[in-house]
Amino acid sequence: MQSFPSMAASHVVVSMALAAVCSAALVLALVAWRRAHRKRGGRGLAFHAWHDPLTGLPNRAYVMHELNGLFAPGERPSLAVLFIDLDGFKAINDIHGHQGGDMFLRAVGRSLRQSVRERDIVARFGGDEFVVVLRRYSGEENLSRICRKVLDLVSRPIQVGGELLAVSPSIGVAVAPRDGHDAETLLRNADAAMYSVKETGKADFRFYVEGMHEQARERMALALDLRQALQQDDIDVAYQPKRCLRSGQVRGLEALARWNHASRGDVPPTVFVPVAERSGLIHALGETVLRRVLAQLTAWDAEGVPVAYVAINLSLHELTRPSFAESLSAIVARSAVDPSRIRFELTESSQMRQPEETVRQMHALREQGFELLIDDFGAGFWNLGHLRELPVGTIKIDQSFVRGGLHNDADRQITEAIVRLARRLRLETVAEGVETADQANWLRELGCDVGQGFYFAHPMPPAAVGGYLERLACGLA
């Protein structure tokens, strides 16, 4: 009977030992769990550090890290960098909101991933900029083929919220080791090549060449000067008459923006208008010209100078702003000028990015009382199909056809076809670039309504318009 207390004591010892073992096991398990959790959490943090949260693609930091690894000391890797910017993406955000824009960017990321090999890097740098790193590319011919494939896939319409949307990519290409021996230089050169593409029409690709950075610096300096000129109201307006080919009378005037720079001299519109479009200054430039024209029409009315209307060039870039028509109408409403005395000449030398919004804005302008005119017809985006849906009353024959019409059979036939089409659609026709009496006579015989060009008059300052109209009335002009 004396053995029972010792047995009880041994049970206690065993129980305590088991408890200690269990506690130790629990502690070890807890430590292991915490280590695993930290490891998983670390992997999660690493993923977020190296990837874009919207598309899931690698980000700028990842690309820089990988490229710097490839450019290790003594290494001369053969690779290519494609710097890609989406032309016209801002309009998608403006019209469809950031949710629609985010859906579009994710789809573009998938298209880019499909266009290259598994071993290549596809990254989003932010905004609407993407970068592709092609490892061990095999020559520029193959690289050009890849760029064309990227252009094709990214340009295809993408369905967002039940609507098909499309943009095009501008692609700059830099290759190593020719264009750079480190990540920063290579990316900077690819970026310069991309901006060079945007200079000449977008929707294309271009390889980096020496001198592109100097051109980019010059463009930046010109944009800065233009911004200052707009702020200081240094943009002038000249006026060129449009004359009836039958009666010789002036139908109206075209307003032409002029910029005389203190050190650069006269900067032609073919130079500063594209700069305004790229730098976002096109809206300020357009409103500046409109206000100048409204003030001048008011002054001519007070002086008794008979000007029926003034035509103002309007960039289709301006029509991507949803409130554009309303803002122009508000500016005109603050003047004493009837909106019907303002005609907007719409021109576009490349593909329209947002046709539905553009057409909607054109109808809104027409409803506000403005007259619309298609400029450069036959040479740009405008075609026969668009005439059925556009609220326009006049088409302007591109000057290239006018210049070649007397000597080139194709130009002559195109001009004749445009005049016949306009007559059937009851549209007025204006021929620009008329420089000789023979051209004026030929156009008159075709049935073209209005002529404009150096044969009739050069662009002139506002103060010269009254005198010109007086001389014309006396048969002296």
Side-chain angles (χ1 to χ4, degrees), residues 24-36:
L26 183 61
V27 169
L28 290 173
L30 181 60
V31 170
W33 177 84
R34 292 181 65 182
R35 285 177 177 172

Side-chain angles (χ1 to χ4, degrees), residues 107-413:
V108 168
R110 291 192 294 269
S111 296
L112 286 172
R113 188 65 268 176
Q114 294 170 8
S115 63
V116 297
R117 303 162 299 187
E118 186 66 30
R119 68 189 184 195
D120 298 321
I121 300 172
V122 175
R124 181 185 177 222
F125 262 37
D128 60 351
E129 292 181 341
F130 293 82
V131 164
V132 174
V133 179
L134 302 173
R135 306 174 191 264
R136 298 189 299 277
Y137 76 96
S138 55
E140 286 196 2
E141 183 176 347
N142 182 57
L143 189 51
S144 297
R145 181 186 61 78
I146 294 173
C147 289
R148 284 190 289 269
K149 184 178 180 182
V150 171
L151 278 168
D152 176 60
L153 287 176
V154 176
S155 298
R156 291 178 182 177
I158 295 171
Q159 189 161 6
V160 175
E163 184 177 350
L164 287 176
L165 305 175
V167 300
S168 61
S170 291
I171 306 172
V173 185
V175 299
R178 184 189 69 192
D179 299 328
H181 300 280
D182 59 79
E184 184 178 349
T185 301
L186 204 61
L187 286 165
R188 186 172 66 249
N189 289 344
D191 183 53
M194 182 271 292
Y195 273 103
S196 178
V197 173
K198 287 185 172 292
E199 290 285 316
T200 54
K202 307 176 182 179
D204 203 353
F205 67 91
R206 184 162 301 161
F207 290 88
Y208 173 78
V209 294
E210 197 71 31
M212 281 185 173
H213 289 296
E214 288 72 18
Q215 295 170 7
R217 279 192 287 270
E218 171 61 19
R219 290 192 297 270
M220 291 177 62
L222 193 62
L224 187 63
D225 288 349
L226 179 58
R227 185 181 299 276
Q228 186 176 18
L230 288 167
Q231 291 172 346
Q232 297 177 353
D233 201 21
D234 285 341
I235 300 298
D236 296 318
V237 178
Y239 296 87
Q240 187 173 34
K242 298 183 177 188
R243 291 176 57 170
C244 175
L245 287 171
R246 292 199 175 277
S247 68
Q249 297 302 307
V250 171
R251 287 283 186 86
L253 307 171
E254 179 178 357
L256 301 166
R258 294 291 184 260
W259 180 21
N260 185 270
H261 190 276
S263 59
R264 300 175 186 269
D266 287 324
V267 183
T270 53
V271 172
F272 70 78
V273 170
V275 168
E277 291 177 340
R278 288 189 303 270
S279 61
L281 295 171
I282 191 64
H283 299 295
L285 177 61
E287 290 184 359
T288 295
V289 173
L290 176 59
R291 288 191 173 93
R292 284 290 190 92
V293 168
L294 292 170
Q296 190 59 57
L297 279 170
T298 302
W300 281 329
D301 289 345
E303 297 166 6
V305 178
V307 175
Y309 70 82
V310 174
I312 301 174
N313 288 287
L314 185 64
S315 167
L316 291 189
H317 288 74
E318 298 177 76
L319 293 180
T320 59
R321 190 169 62 179
S323 61
F324 177 71
E326 289 77 7
S327 65
L328 288 194
S329 181
I331 293 173
V332 176
R334 289 192 288 270
S335 74
V337 177
D338 191 291
S340 63
R341 297 179 68 190
I342 301 295
R343 296 190 179 186
F344 290 114
E345 297 194 3
L346 301 127
T347 183
E348 174 72 350
S349 58
S350 61
Q351 185 183 5
M352 192 192 299
R353 304 300 170 202
Q354 294 292 327
E356 295 84 3
E357 178 62 16
T358 298
V359 172
R360 189 188 73 79
Q361 288 290 339
M362 290 176 67
H363 279 283
L365 286 170
R366 189 67 188 88
E367 291 168 3
Q368 300 287 352
F370 301 107
E371 297 287 336
L372 301 181
L373 181 154
I374 295 178
D375 198 4
D376 298 334
F377 186 81
F381 168 77
W382 309 113
N383 57 46
L384 302 181
H386 286 100
L387 287 180
R388 295 175 300 181
E389 56 182 297
L390 299 180
V392 299
T394 305
I395 55 177
K396 199 170 186 180
I397 304 169
D398 185 72
Q399 60 183 327
S400 62
F401 302 124
V402 175
R403 289 172 179 166
L406 294 178
H407 313 288
N408 183 284
D409 187 60
D411 288 339
R412 181 171 60 255
Q413 291 187 23

